[in-house]
Amino acid sequence: MSVTTLLTIALGAILTNNFIFAQFLGICPFLGVSKKIDTAVGMGAAVTFVMGLASAVCYGVNALLQAAGLAYMQTVAFILVIAALVQFVEMFLKRYVPALYTALGVYLPLITTNCAVLGVALLNVQNNYNFIESVVYGITGGLGFLLAIFLFAAVREQLEFADTPKAFEGFPIALVTAGLIALAFMGFSGLQVW
Amino acid sequence: MEIVYAVLVLGALAALFGLALAVAAKAFEVKADPRLAQIQSCLAGANCGGCGYPGCGGCAAAILSGKAPVTACAPVGAEGAAKIAAIMGIEVASGERMVAHVRCNGGCDAQKNFEYRGVSDCLAATKVCGGDKNVCRYGCFGFGTCVAACKFDAIHINERGVAEVDREKCTNCGACRAACPRKLIDAVPYKQKVFVNCSNREKGPGVMKVCARSCIACGMCERTCKFDAIHVIDNVAVIDYDKCRNCTMCAKACPRSAIEPIPTAEERERFNAAQRAAKQAAAEKAAAKAAQSDSAAE
């Protein structure tokens, strides 16, 4: 493992294999909380935090399952870990960082159901990442999510005033927009790190 | 056998997490003030945001911490404020009931320089060359962004195409004030009856061209007022609601019908006649005085 490997993982997670635009994970919060830039960035930051933490904890849990010969129970165990983790983070923030807690509001518990978080845990196992690689993949994957939701929210804020055809108003045009941004992200697919 | 093993391991894992969470919940417990829920139940519950806090929960927290006054929730009025004050154990400073008021009366009398057919929203309209009423850059569009913002059905677009507040329903929550892109909506005392319904700050001749019901800053109202309550500030008449006694003299004096209540032709005629008579009497008095001083000099 070298710095180059980590850089490759990071660039892949943020741009080429962006969780939303290339892997289509975490679409629910991506569409749900992208109406305003402020809340979108809050959500992105919270997801980044939880993804990084989940990668670290799931690495340990996975090692435990492997040792017990129960690797096929990964998904269930990871969901358990993520749910518990989000609960714990919520309690912790409420006690020690109430400002951030109120800023994130309802989005914090909602991260439990964000499949990008579960995705990062499963992909870590699939790619045979070690501990550091897992954490880097988790955090940069979250940053990719943050970038995606921020860009999308910025476009959607402008869309509010666009003269959209009646049939396209609201979600349809948002989905078209998401598709176009995903297309643009395909442009990163040739990116390589030497 | 393996299934039992899997269930056991996963169960143990779940129990471990559960236990850890239970411990964490005790360790990180935040004691919520029981008054918080009580205060929140006294608030309007509309989450209108008029108090400036994110929803009623935020307002309740602000009241509890003393950052907001007990009267912060306008919709519940003095009665609600008294209840909250009782919970907080403090005296309530009784405030006068305020309502929203739209400072424009132009509507169909204001000139348009093109027909706007975009999204029926005032903010959107301002983005298109400043809106169809951009001849008057201060007036009400009448697309009803404030109507949509009102949670209490208290503001509507009247037959003249201008937003008008239903004073009985208005709770002065401030949602319309925040929504109006032209900042035309004010909070005024409920008792107040006289208003200047124009906000155009341009100089007289310019305003005269763009709208039939506009304040041209002629100062007639200022000269007519006996209580020093109306003044032309930045080319538009402004009433000092503390001094105003609602005598409506300024409304009658206004040559542009820009002050509410707009007088009828008969009222205006009577007012003009009275003004003429007063002027004549003053002139006669002055003449008599001059004659007197003349004779004294001789």
Side-chain angles (χ1 to χ4, degrees):
Chain A
M1 182 196 66
S2 63
V3 178
T4 326
T5 331
L6 292 183
L7 205 62
T8 314
I9 291 172
L11 266 182
I14 297 176
L15 297 176
T16 37
N17 279 319
N18 187 293
F19 268 83
I20 286 171
F21 291 135
Q23 311 197 45
F24 309 111
L25 291 170
I27 299 292
C28 165
F30 174 68
L31 290 173
V33 279
S34 56
K35 275 199 167 166
K36 278 192 180 150
I37 291 179
D38 292 355
T39 48
V41 169
M43 182 66 181
V47 168
T48 308
F49 182 65
V50 174
M51 273 171 87
L53 213 60
S55 300
V57 177
C58 286
Y59 181 81
V61 170
N62 186 50
L64 198 83
L65 287 179
Q66 297 277 4
L70 287 171
Y72 62 92
M73 295 298 282
Q74 271 167 2
T75 314
V76 188
F78 287 171
I79 290 176
L80 203 65
V81 171
I82 292 163
L85 211 58
V86 171
Q87 283 293 314
F88 180 77
V89 167
E90 197 181 343
M91 281 180 216
F92 182 83
L93 286 183
K94 196 173 180 182
R95 174 71 182 265
Y96 292 107
V97 203
L100 187 62
Y101 175 78
T102 40
L104 290 176
V106 72
Y107 304 125
L108 198 54
L110 274 180
I111 297 169
T112 317
T113 55
N114 187 339
C115 58
V117 182
L118 180 64
V120 83
L122 290 173
L123 283 169
N124 279 335
V125 176
Q126 217 172 69
N127 296 341
N128 281 323
Y129 284 152
N130 64 23
F131 182 72
I132 294 177
E133 285 171 338
S134 294
V135 174
V136 168
Y137 190 58
I139 291 172
T140 51
L143 289 178
F145 181 88
L146 176 66
L147 176 72
I149 201 167
F150 169 72
L151 289 177
F152 189 53
V155 177
R156 270 184 93 173
E157 276 194 357
Q158 296 297 312
L159 267 182
E160 288 281 307
F161 300 117
D163 194 8
T164 333
K166 188 88 188 152
F168 279 94
E169 266 172 30
F171 262 110
I173 193 70
L175 287 170
V176 172
T177 314
L180 288 175
I181 303 178
L183 267 181
F185 262 71
M186 289 296 155
F188 288 119
S189 60
L191 209 62
Q192 273 183 320
V193 179
W194 281 279
Chain B
M1 202 55 222
E2 193 169 335
I3 192 164
V4 179
Y5 182 49
V7 168
L8 275 180
V9 170
L10 218 62
L13 208 61
L16 195 73
F17 282 133
L19 211 66
L21 277 182
V23 171
K26 266 273 173 271
F28 296 136
E29 194 181 9
V30 179
K31 290 232 168 13
D33 198 318
R35 290 181 299 174
L36 191 69
Q38 288 174 0
I39 291 174
Q40 197 165 352
S41 67
C42 290
L43 300 178
N47 284 321
C48 64
C51 52
Y53 295 95
C56 296
C59 183
I63 292 175
L64 190 63
S65 63
K67 274 185 230 143
V70 289
T71 49
C73 184
V76 295
E79 209 178 303
K83 268 194 235 163
I84 296 168
I87 295 167
M88 292 288 288
I90 54 172
E91 290 285 317
V92 57
S94 65
E96 196 175 359
R97 184 182 164 193
M98 304 286 273
V99 289
H101 179 79
V102 182
R103 277 180 294 118
C104 177
N105 198 25
C108 46
D109 286 340
Q111 288 184 22
K112 300 185 176 191
N113 60 348
F114 66 88
E115 197 181 334
Y116 172 79
R117 285 197 192 165
V119 184
S120 193
D121 176 86
C122 303
L123 185 55
T126 56
K127 307 248 166 185
V128 185
C129 305
D132 63 345
K133 275 178 198 142
N134 81 342
V135 178
C136 173
R137 290 190 283 113
Y138 299 86
C140 173
F141 286 117
F143 290 127
T145 296
C146 50
V147 178
C150 184
K151 293 268 198 319
F152 305 97
D153 190 35
I155 189 164
H156 297 283
I157 305 299
N158 66 14
E159 72 285 350
R160 296 173 46 75
V162 177
E164 195 175 317
V165 177
D166 181 337
R167 297 163 68 85
E168 301 312 316
K169 284 183 184 168
C170 181
T171 59
N172 192 34
C173 72
C176 55
R177 245 171 291 154
C180 181
R182 294 220 146 154
K183 303 287 166 237
L184 281 174
I185 307 177
D186 261 353
V188 300
Y190 177 71
K191 281 183 281 183
Q192 182 70 22
K193 297 281 184 290
V194 183
F195 303 102
V196 178
N197 284 338
C198 181
S199 310
N200 197 316
R201 289 198 192 82
E202 271 165 49
K203 292 210 170 69
V207 187
M208 183 113 53
K209 269 183 241 150
V210 300
C211 182
R213 291 197 184 178
S214 54
C215 175
I216 52 171
C218 65
M220 278 301 281
C221 48
E222 196 173 322
R223 285 193 289 279
T224 308
C225 186
K226 297 270 193 295
F227 309 108
D228 190 35
I230 186 163
H231 297 282
V232 175
I233 300 168
D234 287 342
N235 291 319
V236 66
V238 176
I239 296 175
D240 182 340
Y241 299 125
D242 289 334
K243 289 180 182 166
C244 181
R245 311 248 185 113
N246 289 314
C247 71
T248 73
M249 290 294 269
C250 51
K252 287 169 189 147
C254 182
R256 307 281 297 167
S257 300
I259 304 180
E260 183 187 328
I262 295 167
T264 59
E266 194 190 335
E267 277 176 333
R268 200 186 288 274
E269 194 45 55
R270 220 180 315 146
F271 175 79
N272 286 342
Q275 287 293 95
R276 272 199 299 275
K279 209 179 240 175
Q280 211 172 352
E284 273 169 19
K285 208 172 175 184
K289 206 173 182 184
Q292 206 172 25
S293 61
D294 278 357
S295 60
E298 277 173 16

